[in-house]
């Protein structure tokens, strides 16, 4: 018994609900062979114990999994069985009205009590009860919505308790009236296969199709975020091409699948480099090792923050740092572009965000990079978009603060302007830790020069200490631009080696563009509340800020009607 079906059975038995909204991985197979619909009709006790199982979607209309169900249905409505289903109505309001005629039928159960005789399965539920404001819904849509609401909460249906399943992939595409707490409709998520389920399924497929898998554990880890049908596709391609299922095949096919299904909301990142490509910032690297990389590898998830905010100047390497954390920890990595999620159509932004969050659950354990989070417009004050920003903001806050994600979905927010972020987003329990990424000091600049020459494979005879001393105030991005300019100068001079002379010429020509450095440093430092997250040279600033924030009078006493120090 799958966990999601057990939840349904328990809630139905307890009388909590008899109408269930199945969402999530509904387009996948449940066990490698049965779809959700066939699983319900052939393996699910809530359906196979009924005399009539009615299936409906807008395209096929009313159908039945067995001829006996169709015959019982026609007997119940007092019609002759035409032995096909084409005579039955296909439009939702007429179809549901006909189904309702058999919905309250009962039969004698094994213990002599009356039990429901009918079960209903409605696929592609979003096509008959879409997200829309009541005032703008068509007459038919309103009729369908009210019909389903009646089925869920009117006593004549509750007393019988016929199992009704509404199936959709994206919960946000269902009209909110059926998702409210008062609707008596239970939303049940069908999850993507877990790591253990993927490993077992890959082994079964390899045996069935006589395909070699080079590493089952690695294959199971790399297929995070994929459905069973996707995993089967990879194995079948390996059989067709007479090759081993290896990391190369999985990565290539996974990139295609994720790009096709989630490109509009997520970008899957496969970092190739670790911290060896990051110059300086040893205190930041140390933080990530102590609080994310090592704890996750050791299974000490309590120490892992739900989110890390990296405030700092443009060009200081925040994005590079985040991707390197994914490489060092071995986590899946995705970039969430909140600006792409916004859409002018009613409900589409909410659907896009839910789709993204569903994908993150499937990719877990994963790292989520949110770049320029201050530019996303997510806050509680934006009133110019009919409340869309506010709803998205609340949903994102709810997801980020869910403690079940600790150590499984780690958010890393990158921002140049942390002062523009809503305080609710920055509080502990969402972005637990705020680690300022500051301009490099002289020693760090020397290290960045070394890294940049190595990154681009540039032969050089440069005094790195002298170069670092001459670039006070440069960010990592500006040092990178300077190194490339020096290479340009050397090549124009016909040299294959960059020398001090070429670098000096580059320094004369190149003009740094970063502005208001001290002001941006103060903004980044203002977010930090932990001295251990700062370079030693900056820690005294936090002490000074703490002193300034203390009340002028630590203790006060009451004398008469006055309060005095």
């Amino acid at each position: 018994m799958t966990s999601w079906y057990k939840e349904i059975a328990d809630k139905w038995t307890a009388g909590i609900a008899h109408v269930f909204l199945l969402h999530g991985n509904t387009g996948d197979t449940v066990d490698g062979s049965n779809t959700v619909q066939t699983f319900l009709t052939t393996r699910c006790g809530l359906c196979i114990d009924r005399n009539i199982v009615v299936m409906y979607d807008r395209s096929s209309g009313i159908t039945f999994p067995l001829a006996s169900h169709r015959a019982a249905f026609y007997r119940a409505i007092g019609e002759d069985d035409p032995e096909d289903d084409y005579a039955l109505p296909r439009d939702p309001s007429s179809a549901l009205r006909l189904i309702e005629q058999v919905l309250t039928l009962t039969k004698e159960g094994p213990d002599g009590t009356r039990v429901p005789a009918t079960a209903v399965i409605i696929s592609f539920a979003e096509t008959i009860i879409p997200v829309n404001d009541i005032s703008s819904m068509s007459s038919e849509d309103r009729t369908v919505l009210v019909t389903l609401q009646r089925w869920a909460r009117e006593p004549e249906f509750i007393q019988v308790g016929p199992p009704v399943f509404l199936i959709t992939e994206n919960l946000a595409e269902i009209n909110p009236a059926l998702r409210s707490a008062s609707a008596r409709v239970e939303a049940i998520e069908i999850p993507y296969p877990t790591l253990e389920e993927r490993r077992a399924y890959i082994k079964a497929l390899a045996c069935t199709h006589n395909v070699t898998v080079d590493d089952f554990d690695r294959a199971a880890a790399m297929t995070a975020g994929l459905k069973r049908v996707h995993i089967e596709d990879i194995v079948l391609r390996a059989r067709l091409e007479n090759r081993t299922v290896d990391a190369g095949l999985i990565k290539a096919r996974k990139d295609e699948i994720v790009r096709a299904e989630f490109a509009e909301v997520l970008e899957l990142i496969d970092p190739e480099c670790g911290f060896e490509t990051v110059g300086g910032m040893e205190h930041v690297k140390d933080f990530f090792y102590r609080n994310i990389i090592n704890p996750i590898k050791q299974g000490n998830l309590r120490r892992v923050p739900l989110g890390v905010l990296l405030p700092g100047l443009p060009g200081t390497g925040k994005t590079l740092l985040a991707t390197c954390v994914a490489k060092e920890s071995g986590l899946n990595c995705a970039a969430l572009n909140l600006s792409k999620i916004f859409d002018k159509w009613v409900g589409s932004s909410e659907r896009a965000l839910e789709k993204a969050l569903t994908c993150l659950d499937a990719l877990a354990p994963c790292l989520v990079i949110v770049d320029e989070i201050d530019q996303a417009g997510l806050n509680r004050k934006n009133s110019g978009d009919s409340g869309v920003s506010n709803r998205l903001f609340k949903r994102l806050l709810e997801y980020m603060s869910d403690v079940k994600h600790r150590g499984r979905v780690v958010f890393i927010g990158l921002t140049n302007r942390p002062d523009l972020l809503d305080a609710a987003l920055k509080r502990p329990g969402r972005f637990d830790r705020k680690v300022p990424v500051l301009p490099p000091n002289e020693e760090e600049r020397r290290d960045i020069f070394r890294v940049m020459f190595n990154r681009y494979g540039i032969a050089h005879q440069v005094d790195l200490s002298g170069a670092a001393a001459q670039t006070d105030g440069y960010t990592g991005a500006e040092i990178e631009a300077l190194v490339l300019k020096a290479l340009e100068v050397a090549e124009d001079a016909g040299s294959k080696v960059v020398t001090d002379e070429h670098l000096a010429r580059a320094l004369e020509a190149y003009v740094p563009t970063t502005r208001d450095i001290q002001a941006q440093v103060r903004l980044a430092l203002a977010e930090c509340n932990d001295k251990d997250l700062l370079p030693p040279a900056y820690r005294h600033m936090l002490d000074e800020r703490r002193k300034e924030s203390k009340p002028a009078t630590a203790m006060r006493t009451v004398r008469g009607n006055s309060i005095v120090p």
Side-chain angles (χ1 to χ4, degrees), residues 482-495 497-499 501-507 509:
L482 184 63
V483 167
L484 294 177
K485 178 64 179 177
L487 175 63
E488 176 187 316
V489 171
E491 289 179 342
D492 289 347
S495 174
V497 178
V498 174
T499 65
E501 181 181 351
H502 300 137
L503 185 62
R505 176 70 186 87
L507 274 166

Side-chain angles (χ1 to χ4, degrees), residues 36-56:
V36 172
Q37 290 83 350
T38 57
F39 175 83
L40 290 174
T41 56
T42 62
R43 306 281 298 279
C44 161
L46 291 186
C47 289
I48 59 177
D49 289 342
R50 311 301 152 210
N51 293 342
I52 304 172
V53 177
V54 184
M55 305 177 69
Y56 173 77

